[in-house]
């Protein structure tokens, strides 16, 4: 229920206004200016909007898991490196330093200190409360692209629209953190907008 409610939540008036303008512009092409009664039905409108919002939310959960997997792999890599270094020394072997149960907490602590920005950004990314309205609205844009390509009941994109869609996809993709080492700069120190949610909502609406 909270996921659905978040799709109707906005930060402020300007956020609400920009989303309404997007819905008016592209929602009109998809749901009004069509000869298909199926696309004009309230069920289709809600399905596209809610489906895009839900797709964006679960896509973000998947992205967070992907980034967390990168962190786990970093820990494992550093543990192996520490083991390889220690195994070369007689004193380490005799003192049992290379025992993973003994050295793992030290290596993990070193990794957390060395990459404090990454683990902090990851914790924030996983725990932040998200507003799903924009992801759902971007889904309507994705539906506009889909219908312009595959539906005979809708108009084709104009040259200007094609350039706009290309630009917006490239822009959102460039600000979507898919590597852990870019999460701090793009998400924490960036414009505080979850561009991944926009891109995932767009893809959900297209599909």
């Amino acid at each position: 229920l909270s996921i659905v409610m978040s799709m109707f939540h906005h930060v402020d008036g300007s956020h609400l206004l920009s989303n309404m303008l997007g819905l008016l512009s592209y929602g009109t092409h998809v749901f009004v200016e069509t000869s298909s009664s199926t696309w004009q039905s309230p069920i289709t409108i809600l399905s596209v909007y809610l489906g895009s919002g839900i797709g964006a939310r679960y896509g973000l959960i998947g992205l967070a898991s992907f980034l967390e997997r990168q962190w786990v792999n970093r820990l494992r890599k550093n543990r192996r490196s520490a083991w390889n270094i220690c195994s070369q020394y007689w004193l380490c072997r005799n003192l049992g330093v290379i025992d993973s149960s003994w050295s793992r907490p030290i290596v993990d602590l070193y990794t957390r200190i060395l990459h404090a920005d990454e683990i902090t950004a990851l914790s924030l990314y996983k725990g932040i409360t998200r507003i799903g309205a924009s992801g759902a609205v971007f889904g309507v844009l994705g539906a506009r692209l889909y219908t312009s390509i595959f539906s005979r009941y809708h108009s084709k994109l104009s040259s200007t629209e094609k350039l706009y869609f290309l630009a917006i996809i490239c822009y959102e993709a460039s600000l979507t953190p898919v590597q852990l080492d870019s999460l701090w700069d793009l998400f924490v120190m960036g414009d505080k907008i979850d561009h991944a949610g926009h891109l995932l909502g767009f893809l959900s609406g297209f599909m």
Side-chain angles (χ1 to χ4, degrees):
L1 182 60
S2 62
I3 295 178
V4 176
M5 293 301 295
S6 70
M7 296 179 210
F8 300 93
H9 186 208
H10 296 81
V11 176
D12 51 31
S14 61
H15 186 210
L16 174 63
L17 179 61
S18 63
N19 279 343
M20 291 302 100
L21 289 174
L23 283 176
L24 177 63
S25 176
Y26 292 98
T28 299
H29 285 292
V30 176
F31 306 115
V32 179
E33 296 176 354
T34 174
S35 57
S36 171
S37 58
T38 300
W39 279 97
Q40 292 175 343
S41 70
I43 294 178
T44 301
I45 297 172
L46 284 175
S47 296
V48 171
Y49 188 85
L50 297 180
S52 299
I54 293 172
R57 177 57 62 90
Y58 280 100
L60 288 170
I61 293 174
L63 177 59
S65 297
F66 176 70
L67 293 170
E68 187 171 23
R69 176 55 54 184
Q70 292 182 40
W71 174 254
V72 172
N73 290 338
R74 185 187 297 281
L75 289 175
R76 290 175 177 172
K77 180 181 178 181
N78 286 358
R79 290 168 187 167
R80 287 195 300 268
S81 297
W83 188 91
N84 291 333
I85 293 173
C86 287
S87 63
Q88 299 176 15
Y89 295 96
W90 173 87
L91 181 61
C92 289
R93 292 195 300 270
N94 283 271
L95 291 177
V97 174
I98 63 174
D99 181 11
S100 61
S101 63
W102 192 95
S103 61
R104 181 176 296 177
I106 297 176
V107 175
D108 288 356
L109 177 61
Y110 170 80
T111 304
R112 289 178 180 275
I113 294 175
L114 186 64
H115 301 282
D117 57 337
E118 293 181 3
I119 189 60
T120 300
L122 180 60
S123 298
L124 291 173
Y125 195 76
K126 291 170 56 181
I128 194 171
T129 300
R130 287 180 165 85
I131 297 173
S134 294
V137 172
F138 268 79
V140 176
L141 272 70
R144 168 60 177 147
L145 180 59
Y146 173 87
T147 55
S148 71
I149 298 174
F150 300 106
S151 174
R152 67 177 184 272
Y153 303 108
H154 293 81
S155 62
K156 303 300 181 182
L157 291 177
S158 65
S159 298
T160 303
E161 285 181 306
K162 290 178 182 179
L163 289 174
Y164 173 76
F165 273 86
L166 179 61
I168 199 169
I169 291 172
C170 292
Y171 175 74
E172 298 295 342
S174 68
L175 296 176
T176 295
V178 293
Q179 294 296 325
L180 185 60
D181 55 10
S182 66
L183 187 59
W184 178 269
D185 290 332
L186 293 179
F187 184 71
V188 179
M189 301 303 292
D191 54 13
K192 313 303 180 185
I193 297 174
D194 197 353
H195 294 278
H198 293 173
L199 185 61
L200 290 166
F202 183 91
L203 294 175
S204 298
F206 181 82
M207 294 187 292

